[in-house]
Amino acid sequence: MSNSYGKLFRITTFGESHGPAVGVILDGCPAGLEIGVEEIQHALDRRRPGQSDITTPRKEEDKVNILSGIFEGKTTGTPIALVVNNKDQHSTDYSHIEHAYRPSHADYTYTAKYGTRDYRGGGRSSARETVARVAAGAVAAKLLHKYGISVNAYVSQVGKVKLRKDYSKLDLNKIDSNKVRCPDGKTAARMIGVIEEARDTLDTIGGVVSCVIKGVPAGLGEPVFDKLHAELGKAMLSINAVKGFEYGSGFEGVKMHGSEHNDQFYTDDDGNIRTRTNNSGGIQGGISNGQDIYFNVAFKPVATILQPQQTINDAGEEITLKGKGRHDPCVLPRAVPIVDAMAALVLADFLMRQQASKV
């Protein structure tokens, strides 16, 4: 089903940008996992709109309501239902696009597929849908924490401003120390300047979110069609505005010879099997090898710009269209918790599948 993800740790999301609510049904979470509403709320607060002057001014509290599956602070093993009510919809902001196809939006493709579309904020194609993913991702992250696995995404590039430090040289505890969510203060200041310039010129800008997953045991993933890196790629590419995914050495690896790229094994002082380098990004043969998993996710500039653009309407007539409403000049700061959530959901599902595969 196109609205569901996962095999054993499975989510189904529902709701539209300007509907009454968005939410998620999470099935397959083990019973007895301790998690409070405040932990889920914390994840949503990192994603919510209106949190700084470089994000959309839409004001949503994004207060989560737990309808089932969690009792007295613990999961019960039954489906977990999480719902967030929409409150600050300005649907009239979108009346001008009722019959128009916005450049680089899903307006035309949704119409081609379904014969109709909800034009209010993009309906189901809106990034508002990711509220549900982040809520479920908070549960997945708590499950991973129980097994010593941590997920940390951060902004590593905005436009042409790129963080040049390797993730191993960064203090990942500083990701939330600034409004762009880059753990390097000097680079963050330059990134913020680029976003502010795009905002002030009624334009938008894209960039890259990087992610590091630590503590993953060897053996997660499947060897053929459900490779761990393939599922991570699918999960990331399912996020609105994502245009690219690479893990490990990625495209830079094509510049290397095999003698440079191969990760040689050794046994450390504690008897653990390690690799001297990690060009594989913690995954070999589609299965985790126990090293850090790291990857990059490329986000395009937000499609809605407050400038006139040429397009057509649903009658095929050429028109001039100017964006209205409240939109992010750059999606990256609010995309960080979404990348966190989707990575956690992938790992939680593979963790459950691995346990189910053993006697």
Side-chain angles (χ1 to χ4, degrees):
M1 293 182 290
S2 62
N3 298 298
S4 300
Y5 181 78
K7 296 288 180 67
L8 296 186
F9 195 93
R10 186 173 179 83
I11 65 167
T12 300
T13 71
F14 60 88
E16 291 82 33
S17 175
H18 286 232
V22 292
V24 62
I25 304 294
L26 169 57
D27 204 1
C29 183
L33 179 68
E34 293 186 3
I35 186 163
V37 65
E38 66 280 355
E39 295 172 274
I40 302 173
Q41 191 60 57
H42 173 70
L44 289 171
D45 287 346
R46 296 181 75 222
R47 196 224 72 98
R48 69 175 176 83
Q51 58 188 272
S52 79
D53 59 353
I54 59 171
T55 64
T56 171
R58 178 172 174 169
K59 298 295 183 182
E60 291 283 2
E61 293 181 353
D62 283 353
K63 294 297 182 184
V64 64
N65 297 302
I66 301 174
L67 302 186
S68 68
I70 299 175
F71 179 66
E72 295 183 340
K74 293 183 179 181
T75 57
T76 62
T78 59
I80 299 171
L82 306 172
V83 173
V84 173
N85 292 323
N86 293 328
K87 293 184 177 181
D88 189 29
Q89 307 107 311
H90 289 183
S91 297
T92 55
D93 285 348
Y94 298 91
S95 58
H96 67 297
I97 63 164
E98 180 178 358
H99 299 288
Y101 296 143
R102 292 171 295 174
S104 288
H105 274 277
D107 301 334
Y108 170 69
T109 53
Y110 264 56
T111 302
K113 180 174 180 62
Y114 298 109
T116 185
R117 66 182 172 93
D118 182 350
Y119 61 85
R120 303 167 304 165
R124 187 73 174 148
S125 69
S126 169
R128 183 77 184 146
E129 178 269 340
T130 60
V131 168
R133 307 187 194 200
V134 172
V139 181
K142 189 62 183 289
L143 178 64
L144 296 181
H145 179 74
K146 182 178 178 181
Y147 290 88
I149 303 171
S150 63
V151 180
N152 289 285
Y154 59 92
V155 174
S156 59
Q157 184 171 347
V158 174
K160 297 180 180 179
V161 176
K162 186 175 183 178
L163 177 59
R164 300 293 176 181
K165 294 180 181 178
D166 184 84
Y167 77 83
S168 62
K169 306 297 183 183
L170 298 170
D171 182 354
L172 299 181
N173 292 315
K174 293 184 178 180
I175 291 173
D176 285 328
S177 65
N178 55 73
K179 58 190 177 182
V180 77
R181 293 201 167 99
C182 172
D184 181 79
K186 291 183 178 179
T187 306
R190 294 171 59 207
M191 290 176 172
I192 291 169
V194 171
I195 297 173
E196 289 175 338
E197 181 181 10
R199 177 200 61 197
D200 294 344
T201 57
L202 306 181
D203 215 331
T204 60
I205 192 71
V208 175
V209 172
S210 296
C211 186
V212 183
I213 309 174
K214 294 178 173 289
V216 180
L220 299 190
E222 303 294 338
V224 185
F225 295 114
D226 285 357
K227 289 179 167 65
L228 178 53
H229 60 274
E231 285 301 308
L232 283 169
K234 177 181 178 180
M236 297 307 141
L237 289 164
S238 75
I239 301 171
N240 308 62
V242 170
K243 303 299 285 186
F245 171 84
E246 64 173 358
Y247 78 102
S249 61
F251 288 100
E252 289 298 309
V254 305
K255 303 175 183 178
M256 305 168 71
H257 291 93
S259 56
E260 300 172 277
H261 192 272
N262 287 346
D263 297 318
Q264 298 181 25
F265 288 102
Y266 73 100
T267 303
D268 67 17
D269 294 338
D270 296 321
N272 300 309
I273 296 176
R274 310 281 296 173
T275 58
R276 299 190 185 282
T277 54
N278 191 17
N279 293 311
S280 300
I283 304 170
Q284 292 168 327
I287 300 171
S288 61
N289 66 4
Q291 310 306 300
D292 293 344
I293 295 172
Y294 64 96
F295 57 84
N296 298 317
V297 187
F299 286 80
K300 71 174 183 177
V302 175
T304 298
I305 61 174
L306 306 182
Q307 299 179 17
Q309 296 183 91
Q310 296 303 119
T311 188
I312 63 171
N313 59 24
D314 53 16
E317 301 166 333
E318 293 188 2
I319 60 172
T320 299
L321 184 68
K322 181 179 179 181
K324 298 180 181 179
R326 301 158 297 172
H327 305 280
D328 291 279
C330 179
V331 73
L332 295 169
R334 296 174 60 219
V336 165
I338 303 170
V339 171
D340 278 334
M342 292 308 299
L345 289 166
V346 171
L347 266 294
D349 188 41
F350 273 115
L351 191 64
M352 295 296 97
R353 292 164 68 175
Q354 179 70 355
Q355 292 185 348
S357 70
K358 294 182 177 181
V359 177

